[in-house]
Short mmCIF file of all heavy atoms in Angstrom, two decimals:
data_model
loop_
_atom_site.label_atom_id
_atom_site.label_comp_id
_atom_site.label_asym_id
_atom_site.label_seq_id
_atom_site.Cartn_x
_atom_site.Cartn_y
_atom_site.Cartn_z
N GLN B 7 0.83 -1.21 0.00
CA GLN B 7 0.00 0.00 0.00
C GLN B 7 0.87 1.26 0.00
O GLN B 7 0.60 2.22 -0.73
CB GLN B 7 -0.92 -0.01 1.22
CG GLN B 7 -1.91 1.15 1.24
CD GLN B 7 -2.84 1.08 2.44
OE1 GLN B 7 -2.41 0.86 3.56
NE2 GLN B 7 -4.12 1.24 2.18
N THR B 8 1.92 1.26 0.82
CA THR B 8 2.83 2.41 0.88
C THR B 8 3.50 2.65 -0.47
O THR B 8 3.60 3.79 -0.94
CB THR B 8 3.90 2.18 1.96
OG1 THR B 8 3.26 2.06 3.23
CG2 THR B 8 4.89 3.33 2.00
N ALA B 9 3.96 1.57 -1.10
CA ALA B 9 4.63 1.69 -2.39
C ALA B 9 3.68 2.21 -3.46
O ALA B 9 4.05 3.09 -4.26
CB ALA B 9 5.21 0.34 -2.81
N GLU B 10 2.46 1.70 -3.47
CA GLU B 10 1.50 2.15 -4.48
C GLU B 10 1.12 3.61 -4.28
O GLU B 10 0.97 4.36 -5.25
CB GLU B 10 0.25 1.25 -4.44
CG GLU B 10 0.51 -0.15 -4.99
CD GLU B 10 -0.69 -1.06 -4.90
OE1 GLU B 10 -1.60 -0.76 -4.09
OE2 GLU B 10 -0.72 -2.08 -5.63
N GLN B 11 0.99 4.04 -3.03
CA GLN B 11 0.69 5.44 -2.75
C GLN B 11 1.85 6.34 -3.18
O GLN B 11 1.64 7.41 -3.75
CB GLN B 11 0.40 5.64 -1.26
CG GLN B 11 -0.93 5.06 -0.81
CD GLN B 11 -1.13 5.15 0.69
OE1 GLN B 11 -0.19 5.39 1.45
NE2 GLN B 11 -2.37 4.96 1.12
N TRP B 12 3.07 5.89 -2.93
CA TRP B 12 4.24 6.68 -3.34
C TRP B 12 4.32 6.79 -4.85
O TRP B 12 4.63 7.85 -5.39
CB TRP B 12 5.51 6.06 -2.77
CG TRP B 12 6.75 6.82 -3.16
CD1 TRP B 12 7.24 7.96 -2.58
CD2 TRP B 12 7.64 6.52 -4.24
NE1 TRP B 12 8.38 8.37 -3.23
CE2 TRP B 12 8.65 7.50 -4.25
CE3 TRP B 12 7.69 5.50 -5.20
CZ2 TRP B 12 9.69 7.51 -5.18
CZ3 TRP B 12 8.72 5.51 -6.13
CH2 TRP B 12 9.71 6.50 -6.11
N LEU B 13 4.02 5.72 -5.55
CA LEU B 13 4.09 5.73 -7.01
C LEU B 13 3.07 6.70 -7.61
O LEU B 13 3.31 7.26 -8.68
CB LEU B 13 3.85 4.32 -7.55
CG LEU B 13 5.03 3.36 -7.39
CD1 LEU B 13 4.57 1.92 -7.59
CD2 LEU B 13 6.15 3.70 -8.38
N GLU B 14 1.96 6.92 -6.92
CA GLU B 14 0.96 7.87 -7.43
C GLU B 14 1.46 9.30 -7.36
O GLU B 14 1.12 10.13 -8.23
CB GLU B 14 -0.33 7.73 -6.61
CG GLU B 14 -1.10 6.45 -6.88
CD GLU B 14 -2.35 6.36 -6.03
OE1 GLU B 14 -2.64 7.34 -5.30
OE2 GLU B 14 -3.03 5.32 -6.09
N ALA B 15 2.29 9.64 -6.37
CA ALA B 15 2.82 11.00 -6.22
C ALA B 15 4.19 10.91 -5.56
O ALA B 15 4.34 11.14 -4.36
CB ALA B 15 1.88 11.86 -5.38
N PRO B 16 5.21 10.57 -6.34
CA PRO B 16 6.53 10.32 -5.75
C PRO B 16 7.23 11.55 -5.19
O PRO B 16 8.06 11.45 -4.30
CB PRO B 16 7.33 9.72 -6.91
CG PRO B 16 6.62 10.15 -8.14
CD PRO B 16 5.18 10.24 -7.77
N VAL B 17 6.89 12.75 -5.72
CA VAL B 17 7.56 13.97 -5.27
C VAL B 17 6.54 14.90 -4.64
O VAL B 17 5.53 15.23 -5.25
CB VAL B 17 8.26 14.69 -6.44
CG1 VAL B 17 8.96 15.95 -5.93
CG2 VAL B 17 9.26 13.77 -7.12
N ASP B 18 6.81 15.30 -3.41
CA ASP B 18 5.97 16.31 -2.76
C ASP B 18 6.66 17.65 -2.96
O ASP B 18 6.45 18.33 -3.94
CB ASP B 18 5.79 15.96 -1.29
CG ASP B 18 4.86 16.91 -0.58
OD1 ASP B 18 4.24 17.75 -1.26
OD2 ASP B 18 4.75 16.85 0.65
N THR B 19 7.48 18.09 -2.02
CA THR B 19 8.23 19.33 -2.19
C THR B 19 9.73 19.08 -2.12
O THR B 19 10.51 19.91 -2.54
CB THR B 19 7.85 20.35 -1.10
OG1 THR B 19 8.06 19.78 0.19
CG2 THR B 19 6.40 20.78 -1.25
N ASP B 20 10.14 17.92 -1.60
CA ASP B 20 11.55 17.62 -1.40
C ASP B 20 11.99 16.55 -2.38
O ASP B 20 11.68 15.37 -2.22
CB ASP B 20 11.77 17.16 0.05
CG ASP B 20 13.25 17.07 0.42
OD1 ASP B 20 14.07 16.87 -0.50
OD2 ASP B 20 13.56 17.20 1.60
N PHE B 21 12.73 16.96 -3.41
CA PHE B 21 13.14 16.04 -4.47
C PHE B 21 14.12 14.99 -3.95
O PHE B 21 14.04 13.82 -4.28
CB PHE B 21 13.75 16.84 -5.62
CG PHE B 21 13.80 16.10 -6.91
CD1 PHE B 21 12.68 16.01 -7.71
CD2 PHE B 21 14.95 15.48 -7.33
CE1 PHE B 21 12.72 15.34 -8.91
CE2 PHE B 21 15.00 14.80 -8.53
CZ PHE B 21 13.88 14.73 -9.32
N LYS B 22 15.07 15.43 -3.11
CA LYS B 22 16.05 14.50 -2.56
C LYS B 22 15.37 13.46 -1.68
O LYS B 22 15.76 12.29 -1.68
CB LYS B 22 17.12 15.26 -1.78
CG LYS B 22 18.05 16.11 -2.64
CD LYS B 22 19.11 16.79 -1.81
CE LYS B 22 20.03 17.62 -2.69
NZ LYS B 22 21.06 18.33 -1.87
N ALA B 23 14.35 13.90 -0.96
CA ALA B 23 13.63 12.95 -0.11
C ALA B 23 12.91 11.90 -0.95
O ALA B 23 12.80 10.73 -0.55
CB ALA B 23 12.62 13.69 0.77
N ALA B 24 12.43 12.29 -2.13
CA ALA B 24 11.75 11.34 -3.01
C ALA B 24 12.71 10.25 -3.47
O ALA B 24 12.35 9.07 -3.52
CB ALA B 24 11.16 12.07 -4.21
N ILE B 25 13.93 10.63 -3.81
CA ILE B 25 14.92 9.65 -4.23
C ILE B 25 15.28 8.72 -3.07
O ILE B 25 15.40 7.50 -3.23
CB ILE B 25 16.17 10.36 -4.78
CG1 ILE B 25 15.81 11.11 -6.07
CG2 ILE B 25 17.30 9.37 -5.04
CD1 ILE B 25 16.93 11.94 -6.65
N ALA B 26 15.44 9.31 -1.88
CA ALA B 26 15.74 8.49 -0.70
C ALA B 26 14.61 7.52 -0.40
O ALA B 26 14.84 6.36 -0.02
CB ALA B 26 16.01 9.40 0.51
N THR B 27 13.37 7.98 -0.58
CA THR B 27 12.22 7.10 -0.34
C THR B 27 12.22 5.94 -1.32
O THR B 27 11.91 4.80 -0.95
CB THR B 27 10.91 7.90 -0.47
OG1 THR B 27 10.89 8.93 0.51
CG2 THR B 27 9.70 6.99 -0.28
N SER B 28 12.56 6.22 -2.59
CA SER B 28 12.59 5.14 -3.58
C SER B 28 13.61 4.08 -3.20
O SER B 28 13.36 2.87 -3.33
CB SER B 28 12.90 5.70 -4.97
OG SER B 28 14.25 6.12 -5.08
N GLU B 29 14.76 4.52 -2.68
CA GLU B 29 15.80 3.56 -2.28
C GLU B 29 15.34 2.72 -1.09
O GLU B 29 15.57 1.51 -1.04
CB GLU B 29 17.09 4.32 -1.95
CG GLU B 29 17.71 5.01 -3.17
CD GLU B 29 18.85 5.92 -2.79
OE1 GLU B 29 19.03 6.19 -1.58
OE2 GLU B 29 19.56 6.39 -3.70
N ALA B 30 14.68 3.38 -0.13
CA ALA B 30 14.19 2.65 1.05
C ALA B 30 13.10 1.66 0.67
O ALA B 30 13.07 0.53 1.17
CB ALA B 30 13.67 3.65 2.08
N LEU B 31 12.20 2.07 -0.23
CA LEU B 31 11.13 1.18 -0.67
C LEU B 31 11.70 -0.04 -1.39
O LEU B 31 11.25 -1.18 -1.18
CB LEU B 31 10.17 1.92 -1.58
CG LEU B 31 9.12 2.79 -0.91
CD1 LEU B 31 8.36 3.60 -1.95
CD2 LEU B 31 8.15 1.95 -0.09
N LEU B 32 12.68 0.18 -2.25
CA LEU B 32 13.30 -0.94 -2.96
C LEU B 32 13.91 -1.94 -1.99
O LEU B 32 13.77 -3.16 -2.15
CB LEU B 32 14.35 -0.43 -3.94
CG LEU B 32 13.84 0.15 -5.25
CD1 LEU B 32 14.98 0.79 -6.04
CD2 LEU B 32 13.16 -0.93 -6.08
N ASP B 33 14.59 -1.42 -0.98
CA ASP B 33 15.22 -2.30 0.01
C ASP B 33 14.16 -3.13 0.75
O ASP B 33 14.31 -4.36 0.92
CB ASP B 33 16.03 -1.45 0.99
CG ASP B 33 16.78 -2.31 2.00
OD1 ASP B 33 17.61 -3.13 1.57
OD2 ASP B 33 16.52 -2.18 3.21
N GLU B 34 13.08 -2.47 1.17
CA GLU B 34 12.04 -3.18 1.90
C GLU B 34 11.31 -4.19 1.01
O GLU B 34 10.97 -5.30 1.45
CB GLU B 34 11.03 -2.19 2.48
CG GLU B 34 11.57 -1.37 3.64
CD GLU B 34 10.46 -0.58 4.33
OE1 GLU B 34 9.56 -1.22 4.91
OE2 GLU B 34 10.49 0.65 4.26
N LEU B 35 11.03 -3.80 -0.23
CA LEU B 35 10.34 -4.71 -1.14
C LEU B 35 11.19 -5.95 -1.44
O LEU B 35 10.68 -7.07 -1.51
CB LEU B 35 9.99 -3.98 -2.45
CG LEU B 35 8.85 -2.97 -2.35
CD1 LEU B 35 8.83 -2.07 -3.59
CD2 LEU B 35 7.50 -3.67 -2.19
N GLN B 36 12.49 -5.74 -1.60
CA GLN B 36 13.39 -6.87 -1.88
C GLN B 36 13.49 -7.79 -0.66
O GLN B 36 13.56 -9.03 -0.82
CB GLN B 36 14.75 -6.34 -2.30
CG GLN B 36 14.74 -5.75 -3.71
CD GLN B 36 15.95 -4.90 -4.02
OE1 GLN B 36 16.73 -4.54 -3.13
NE2 GLN B 36 16.12 -4.55 -5.28
N GLN B 37 13.46 -7.22 0.54
CA GLN B 37 13.45 -8.05 1.74
C GLN B 37 12.14 -8.84 1.83
O GLN B 37 12.13 -10.02 2.20
CB GLN B 37 13.62 -7.18 2.98
CG GLN B 37 15.02 -6.60 3.15
CD GLN B 37 15.16 -5.83 4.45
OE1 GLN B 37 14.62 -6.24 5.48
NE2 GLN B 37 15.89 -4.73 4.41
N ALA B 38 11.03 -8.19 1.50
CA ALA B 38 9.73 -8.85 1.55
C ALA B 38 9.65 -10.02 0.58
O ALA B 38 8.97 -11.02 0.85
CB ALA B 38 8.62 -7.84 1.26
N MET B 39 10.36 -9.89 -0.55
CA MET B 39 10.38 -10.98 -1.53
C MET B 39 10.96 -12.27 -0.95
O MET B 39 10.62 -13.37 -1.39
CB MET B 39 11.21 -10.55 -2.76
CG MET B 39 10.52 -9.58 -3.68
SD MET B 39 9.42 -10.40 -4.85
CE MET B 39 10.60 -11.05 -6.03
N ARG B 40 11.84 -12.12 0.05
CA ARG B 40 12.52 -13.29 0.61
C ARG B 40 11.75 -13.93 1.76
O ARG B 40 12.15 -14.97 2.27
CB ARG B 40 13.92 -12.87 1.09
CG ARG B 40 14.85 -12.43 -0.05
CD ARG B 40 16.27 -12.28 0.44
NE ARG B 40 16.46 -11.10 1.26
CZ ARG B 40 16.77 -9.90 0.81
NH1 ARG B 40 16.96 -9.71 -0.50
NH2 ARG B 40 16.95 -8.88 1.63
N GLU B 41 10.65 -13.29 2.15
CA GLU B 41 9.86 -13.84 3.26
C GLU B 41 9.04 -15.05 2.81
O GLU B 41 8.58 -15.10 1.66
CB GLU B 41 8.93 -12.76 3.82
CG GLU B 41 9.66 -11.60 4.48
CD GLU B 41 8.71 -10.51 4.96
OE1 GLU B 41 7.48 -10.68 4.75
OE2 GLU B 41 9.17 -9.51 5.53
N PRO B 42 8.85 -16.03 3.69
CA PRO B 42 8.02 -17.20 3.34
C PRO B 42 6.59 -16.77 2.99
O PRO B 42 6.00 -15.92 3.65
CB PRO B 42 8.03 -18.04 4.63
CG PRO B 42 9.25 -17.59 5.37
CD PRO B 42 9.42 -16.14 5.05
N GLY B 43 6.07 -17.35 1.94
CA GLY B 43 4.70 -17.07 1.53
C GLY B 43 4.52 -15.73 0.85
O GLY B 43 3.38 -15.28 0.65
N ALA B 44 5.61 -15.07 0.48
CA ALA B 44 5.51 -13.76 -0.16
C ALA B 44 4.83 -13.86 -1.52
O ALA B 44 5.02 -14.85 -2.25
CB ALA B 44 6.90 -13.15 -0.32
N ASP B 45 4.05 -12.85 -1.85
CA ASP B 45 3.42 -12.78 -3.18
C ASP B 45 4.47 -12.19 -4.14
O ASP B 45 4.49 -10.99 -4.43
CB ASP B 45 2.17 -11.88 -3.12
CG ASP B 45 1.40 -11.87 -4.43
OD1 ASP B 45 1.95 -12.33 -5.45
OD2 ASP B 45 0.25 -11.38 -4.44
N ARG B 46 5.36 -13.05 -4.61
CA ARG B 46 6.52 -12.57 -5.37
C ARG B 46 6.12 -11.92 -6.69
O ARG B 46 6.80 -11.02 -7.17
CB ARG B 46 7.49 -13.73 -5.59
CG ARG B 46 8.18 -14.17 -4.32
CD ARG B 46 9.17 -15.31 -4.56
NE ARG B 46 9.92 -15.62 -3.35
CZ ARG B 46 9.45 -16.37 -2.35
NH1 ARG B 46 8.24 -16.90 -2.45
NH2 ARG B 46 10.19 -16.60 -1.29
N ARG B 47 5.04 -12.39 -7.26
CA ARG B 47 4.61 -11.79 -8.53
C ARG B 47 4.21 -10.32 -8.33
O ARG B 47 4.63 -9.46 -9.09
CB ARG B 47 3.44 -12.58 -9.11
CG ARG B 47 2.96 -12.07 -10.45
CD ARG B 47 1.90 -12.99 -11.03
NE ARG B 47 1.43 -12.52 -12.33
CZ ARG B 47 0.52 -13.14 -13.05
NH1 ARG B 47 -0.01 -14.28 -12.61
NH2 ARG B 47 0.14 -12.66 -14.22
N ARG B 48 3.43 -10.07 -7.29
CA ARG B 48 2.99 -8.71 -7.03
C ARG B 48 4.16 -7.84 -6.58
O ARG B 48 4.31 -6.69 -7.03
CB ARG B 48 1.90 -8.71 -5.96
CG ARG B 48 1.25 -7.33 -5.76
CD ARG B 48 0.11 -7.42 -4.77
NE ARG B 48 -0.61 -6.16 -4.69
CZ ARG B 48 -1.59 -5.91 -3.82
NH1 ARG B 48 -1.98 -6.86 -2.97
NH2 ARG B 48 -2.19 -4.74 -3.80
#
């Protein structure tokens, strides 16, 4: 849900923060992929 909301409006007023958020989301999503029972396709 967080990732989908961010993708709808990735930049608010802080451009650097948007890039940092993308990096943090990628890290979390990749960790979630390794969890048992993860919906890897989604």
